[in-house]
Amino acid sequence: VVVTGDPSALTGSPPTDPVMLPGLNEGSVGPGVVLHIKSLVLIPLSHNGSLANGDKGRRRSRLALYKRPKANGVKPDVIHNVSTPLVSKALSNKSQHSISYTLSRSHSVIVEYTHDINTDMFQVGSSIRTRTHGGGGGQSAQSTISRYACRIMCERSAPYTARIYAAGFDSSKNIFLGERAAKWRTSDGLMDGLTTNGVLVMHPAGEFVSEPAPGVWREISVCGNVFALRETRSAQQRGKLVENESNTLQDGSLIDLCGATLLWRTPAGLRHIPTLKQLESLRQELNAARPQCPVGFNTLAFPSLAQREIVDKKQPWVYVNCGHVHGYHNWGYRKEKGERECPMCRRVGPYVPLWLGCEGGLYLDAGPPTHAFCPCGHVCSEKTVVGWSQIPLPHGTHAFHAACPFCGTWLTGEQGYVKLIFQGPVD
């Protein structure tokens, strides 16, 4: 697994802390992250390639995972049935990974895990849930890390299969599933369970690049089994086991950690996306065409990638209901609706600045930036807007909404995107 960025937060064995993603309020659509296998890169969807306060520690806009010098994967080994007073003693060995299933106040089942020389293990968690964990703060070892994290096991040899599991080991190498978490004995006598708020996965119905189409959201258990969704996100009754589906990640697989949504990309999929250099070239081509405001006749220009969040006087703006691109102006304001009337076609709707989508990992191809998401105005290729507008992302306890992958804004309008109509230079 080849990576970019600072791998220091994830190298070494064992991974006592998960990768920290920017935290959100529970139930929000984004931000999420993109994971690329070979290169395995973490990218917050709603930050468009950069964090507001810059990359610091394990909170980074792009964080990638190396193949470890030494395997640190684990696999189930021994099962213990213990009474509560013996639980702390059974978990005192900090060199042993284990999962504790609390069945009642007087009974727990502890599954010890042993070293697996064939896999590398990586953990990903939402930082708002785990920000003090492992950092010397006041949070105990039995923190909420299990609820808002997942494990990804990558095989160290071809075909480098990656599998996802719910919950993450804490700094004591333990996972705790309390009395309220759904848990059960399997037909073969082993234990399995779900985290309180669930780890959801959706594999694409077809190939993510060639035929982007959403699949069905499922829930992944602690042992990697696939289940239909619960009635609500934290319901104690598990969904039905889906035997013909697996926890193996594929290009376009989406992972939701109840506050952070992740996209998995493979080398085959990444070959179709634009690099930063190509995105800059596309930006320059747009500006070289000298688009003009059809009313003010001033030349418009997309800002550089480094200045993409700063609005200047040449910034292109768009009426998202029709796609006509203008320079900024004050006319056409409808006070009763808080919207604008397009001077070209008289359609009323939001009027927003246009921004180039700068995170290539979210693109489905390297096509020209001809379309924009509504209502946020992030610009990318037609295939990318069409693909993402069809993908429902989890929101709250049981709702789903399509959202812009660059900022996490819910999509609006009939399609969720619009084709841009530029006015060429008069001369």
Side-chain angles (χ1 to χ4, degrees):
V1 183
V2 182
V3 295
T4 61
D6 179 7
S8 60
L10 295 171
T11 55
S13 177
T16 56
D17 296 315
V19 179
M20 296 300 186
L21 306 180
L24 341 169
N25 295 323
E26 185 171 341
S28 55
V29 173
V33 298
V34 176
L35 291 97
H36 303 218
I37 187 169
K38 197 179 174 77
S39 64
L40 196 74
V41 183
L42 296 167
I43 307 171
L45 266 66
S46 66
H47 291 281
N48 198 17
S50 66
L51 296 179
N53 298 322
D55 290 348
K56 297 179 181 179
R58 288 177 291 137
R59 297 183 58 165
R60 314 178 73 83
S61 60
R62 292 180 68 92
L63 179 64
L65 316 178
Y66 287 101
K67 180 177 180 180
R68 300 182 184 278
K70 183 179 180 181
N72 75 325
V74 294
K75 56 186 177 182
D77 187 20
V78 181
I79 300 177
H80 300 281
N81 289 276
V82 298
S83 59
T84 301
L86 297 177
V87 171
S88 59
K89 182 178 180 180
L91 299 178
S92 61
N93 183 4
K94 292 189 176 182
S95 65
Q96 184 79 51
H97 286 81
S98 65
I99 300 181
S100 175
Y101 301 85
T102 303
L103 303 181
S104 68
R105 294 184 179 181
S106 60
H107 184 206
S108 294
V109 175
I110 298 177
V111 180
E112 290 187 352
Y113 277 64
T114 188
H115 182 57
D116 184 359
I117 63 173
N118 298 312
T119 62
D120 283 337
M121 178 170 65
F122 303 98
Q123 300 193 165
V124 184
S126 178
S127 63
I128 197 170
R129 314 300 178 187
T130 58
R131 58 181 176 268
T132 62
H133 180 76
Q139 199 164 346
S140 66
Q142 298 186 35
S143 65
T144 57
I145 179 173
S146 295
R147 304 179 191 177
Y148 305 99
C150 68
R151 291 160 287 143
I152 297 176
M153 298 285 188
C154 298
E155 294 182 357
R156 292 173 61 85
S157 57
Y160 308 106
T161 303
R163 296 180 175 87
I164 183 172
Y165 301 81
F169 291 106
D170 63 18
S171 59
S172 298
K173 301 182 182 177
N174 297 316
I175 291 175
F176 294 88
L177 295 183
E179 288 187 66
R180 293 187 178 183
K183 66 190 78 66
W184 60 91
R185 286 190 183 274
T186 61
S187 58
D188 53 5
L190 301 177
M191 292 295 299
D192 200 359
L194 306 174
T195 55
T196 303
N197 296 291
V199 172
L200 309 187
V201 172
M202 185 185 75
H203 302 307
E207 289 193 9
F208 188 60
V209 170
S210 60
E211 300 178 9
V216 179
W217 280 101
R218 305 296 192 190
E219 182 165 6
I220 299 297
S221 72
V222 171
C223 294
N225 294 308
V226 182
F227 293 86
L229 299 187
R230 289 176 268 183
E231 184 175 347
T232 59
R233 187 101 191 202
S234 58
Q236 289 188 291
Q237 181 63 40
R238 70 179 187 270
K240 184 179 179 181
L241 177 67
V242 184
E243 297 182 358
N244 62 339
E245 296 183 19
S246 76
N247 63 336
T248 300
L249 297 173
Q250 56 186 277
D251 189 44
S253 291
L254 283 164
I255 305 164
D256 186 81
L257 302 178
C258 194
T261 305
L262 306 85
L263 173 68
W264 183 272
R265 300 303 303 267
T266 65
L270 294 177
R271 283 196 290 268
H272 298 275
I273 70 169
T275 63
L276 281 176
K277 185 176 292 187
Q278 289 172 319
L279 288 174
E280 173 61 20
S281 177
L282 290 172
R283 185 190 73 86
Q284 292 179 6
E285 288 180 16
L286 281 173
N287 293 344
R290 295 172 58 206
Q292 290 189 344
C293 175
V295 178
F297 301 111
N298 53 304
T299 301
L300 309 176
F302 282 86
S304 67
L305 301 187
Q307 301 292 320
R308 58 182 176 271
E309 295 182 357
I310 301 175
V311 180
D312 63 21
K313 60 182 181 181
K314 292 186 176 181
Q315 180 84 28
W317 287 63
V318 67
Y319 288 91
V320 298
N321 281 353
C322 61
H324 284 109
V325 179
H326 291 69
Y328 180 75
H329 52 251
N330 289 315
W331 60 78
Y333 185 72
R334 293 293 185 90
K335 183 179 296 185
E336 66 276 9
K337 291 185 177 181
E339 297 179 332
R340 300 287 187 90
E341 180 183 87
C342 175
M344 300 296 290
C345 65
R346 302 301 182 186
R347 291 193 65 177
V348 176
Y351 180 59
V352 299
L354 290 174
W355 307 100
L356 189 64
C358 299
E359 178 43 65
L362 304 178
Y363 281 69
L364 298 180
D365 65 357
T370 56
H371 289 65
F373 286 106
C374 301
C376 59
H378 279 101
V379 180
C380 55
S381 67
E382 179 180 9
K383 191 171 188 177
T384 300
V385 295
V386 171
W388 281 102
S389 66
Q390 298 173 354
I391 298 175
L393 298 179
H395 171 74
T397 59
H398 56 272
F400 294 86
H401 297 277
C404 170
F406 300 105
C407 67
T409 302
W410 293 359
L411 301 186
T412 60
E414 296 179 2
Q415 298 177 310
Y417 61 89
V418 65
K419 183 177 181 179
L420 300 177
I421 303 174
F422 288 95
Q423 168 75 48
V426 175
D427 56 355

